[in-house]
């Protein structure tokens, strides 16, 4: 076994990982409160009208959960994070409520 001083492995329980993630999301939401608007622009092509726009940060219902953003003009359009996929998605209200990994836009 050769020790490499720049490489460390820590074993954590799933509960520890969830607690750390919840803390990080809470910090992110707190910072977002000072600038609760997100503008997406520059998307071209057929889906551009469904993606470009101004999105408002929505209240987090469960502390420690990722934030979500709702389109200011189309209240059925959301930008939300799917934790199990570690990915942002843009889709409709039903898919957002289901945390479905499906929609018009995906960003890892």
């Amino acid at each position: 076994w050769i020790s490499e001083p720049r490489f460390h492995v820590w074993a954590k329980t799933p509960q520890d990982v969830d607690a750390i993630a919840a803390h990080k999301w809470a910090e992110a939401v707190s910072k977002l409160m000072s600038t609760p608007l997100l503008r997406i622009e520059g998307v071209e092509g057929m889906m551009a009208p469904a993606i470009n726009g101004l999105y408002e940060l929505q209240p987090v219902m469960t502390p420690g959960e990722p934030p979500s953003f709702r389109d200011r003009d189309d209240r059925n359009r959301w930008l939300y994070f799917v934790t199990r996929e570690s990915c942002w998605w843009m889709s409709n209200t039903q898919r957002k409520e289901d945390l479905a990994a499906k929609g018009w836009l995906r960003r890892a």
Side-chain angles (χ1 to χ4, degrees):
W1 182 272
I2 299 172
S3 176
E4 174 59 57
R6 292 173 286 160
F7 182 74
H8 301 279
V9 176
W10 288 273
K12 296 193 181 295
T13 66
Q15 294 82 8
D16 289 340
V17 171
D18 289 346
I20 291 166
H23 176 73
K24 294 292 186 185
W25 280 122
E27 283 181 348
V29 169
S30 177
K31 290 176 183 176
L32 284 169
M33 295 304 287
S34 65
T35 55
L37 295 176
L38 172 71
R39 178 178 301 280
I40 298 177
E41 57 187 12
V43 176
E44 297 178 1
M46 190 171 81
M47 294 307 296
I51 296 172
N52 289 322
L54 191 60
Y55 295 79
E56 298 174 313
L57 177 66
Q58 299 299 297
V60 175
M61 297 303 184
T62 305
E65 289 294 313
S68 60
F69 297 84
R70 194 175 200 176
D71 189 303
R72 185 177 257 184
D73 296 323
D74 181 347
R75 305 308 282 170
N76 189 38
R77 188 173 303 133
W78 292 82
L79 180 65
Y80 59 94
F81 191 79
V82 179
T83 305
R84 71 180 178 282
E85 302 282 329
S86 296
C87 196
W88 287 94
W89 283 90
M90 182 177 291
S91 197
N92 62 32
T93 301
Q94 185 61 54
R95 288 180 180 159
K96 183 256 184 201
E97 289 174 358
D98 295 341
L99 293 177
K102 187 173 182 179
W104 307 289
L105 176 98
R106 174 182 174 268
R107 179 68 179 129

